[in-house]
Amino acid sequence: MMVASGAAVAYYQDQRGAATDGTAAVTGDMLEGNIRATGAAPAPRPSDSPEPSPSPSAPSASPSASAPASSAPAGIPATGPGTFTTARADGTVVGTGGHVRRYMVLVEDGIDVPASEAAAEVSAVLADRRGWTRDGVNAFRLVGSAPYDFVVKIATPGTTDRICGAAGLLTRGEVNCSVGKDVVVNLKRWVLGSPQFDGPIGEYRALIVNHEVGHRIGHGHEGCPGPGRPAPAMMQQIKGLQGCVANAWPYERDGSYLGGPAVP
């Protein structure tokens, strides 16, 4: 699938609210560097990427490291202009399910993440047979313009705080969030991952995408199913694995669902 950078899209929102360390959603989920996109913005709740339990239609937030919003690691700008470049694409549908969800990928201007590369990475996660297409219900299509069902935005910590804060979430420069149709991925989490996730950065990014998209299609948080077993993609892994093994995918390669007990 070919993806090319497109025009910048301005985005602005005030900052307010509360969240934690990973990702935030207006539904209040604290994820480990993930975000979840949803419909209308309901009252805030925390979440994690695994985030705390959000409802499919509400935004969520998730926890990650506990550095102040004013600090940012070398090479990661603390904030940006708040405008975004859209990855231009007319991708093919991945998955055989009848519910095709159209999505866009946007990257904040001024950061060293090409929109085309980010879109290719997100689309590869959603196309993977270990992902949500394995349920036989959902399919996905990367697009470069409206109409769309959700948008994945990669943003600096400061811009993440502004977008999420406008929905009443306090992301503290550390977490991701899901607000309305926006899945906001904190650049710090995209680049650094999470100290709680033992695996390559590509796998952690897959966890971010799978956790947040999982919320978008109706999944809530899940707990560890037992010591030594894979942590569910819908588990708030940033809060601790509880004996499980870090895992980014909702399904095994053989199609078995890697779930766990529902978490309120």
Side-chain angles (χ1 to χ4, degrees):
M1 163 169 47
M2 299 197 52
V3 186
S5 294
V9 178
Y11 192 96
Y12 59 93
Q13 286 194 351
D14 301 331
Q15 178 179 4
R16 55 189 162 81
T20 52
D21 177 305
T23 55
V26 171
T27 58
D29 275 354
M30 299 194 154
L31 286 129
E32 152 183 286
N34 295 352
I35 24 182
R36 148 179 145 242
T38 55
R45 267 177 42 174
S47 128
D48 156 26
S49 160
E51 28 167 354
S53 329
S55 74
S57 56
S60 61
S62 69
S64 95
S66 53
S70 58
S71 67
I76 298 177
T79 192
T83 59
F84 291 80
T85 293
T86 302
R88 297 298 177 187
D90 186 12
T92 57
V93 174
V94 297
T96 58
H99 194 156
V100 179
R101 298 173 187 269
R102 294 165 57 93
Y103 68 96
M104 296 169 57
V105 175
L106 282 68
V107 174
E108 187 170 10
D109 296 321
I111 65 176
D112 191 21
V113 178
S116 58
E117 292 182 11
E121 194 157 0
V122 172
S123 63
V125 171
L126 292 178
D128 196 290
R129 288 293 289 157
R130 295 168 293 172
W132 293 116
T133 60
R134 199 63 180 251
D135 64 9
V137 174
N138 292 283
F140 302 92
R141 180 181 178 184
L142 174 65
V143 297
S145 61
Y148 56 82
D149 296 290
F150 63 96
V151 176
V152 177
K153 291 182 175 179
I154 299 176
T156 58
T159 297
T160 298
D161 286 350
R162 289 194 295 274
I163 297 175
C164 303
L169 299 171
L170 181 60
T171 47
R172 303 179 188 277
E174 293 295 335
V175 304
N176 313 302
C177 82
S178 189
V179 177
K181 289 188 175 183
D182 290 349
V183 169
V184 188
V185 179
N186 191 314
L187 177 64
K188 187 183 291 188
R189 300 278 70 83
W190 185 259
V191 173
L192 299 179
S194 165
Q196 284 78 18
F197 189 87
D198 182 17
I201 189 63
E203 285 290 292
Y204 183 75
R205 292 173 182 172
L207 174 58
I208 292 175
V209 173
N210 286 324
H211 187 98
E212 291 303 338
V213 172
H215 282 309
R216 178 121 197 110
I217 63 178
H219 292 268
H221 288 132
E222 299 175 1
C224 176
R229 297 179 63 182
M234 297 311 299
M235 180 180 174
Q236 295 175 292
Q237 295 180 37
I238 196 168
K239 291 185 168 183
L241 296 175
Q242 301 169 9
C244 271
V245 177
N247 163 59
W249 302 97
Y251 289 86
E252 287 275 20
R253 293 187 182 278
D254 65 3
S256 303
Y257 182 64
L258 296 171
V263 175

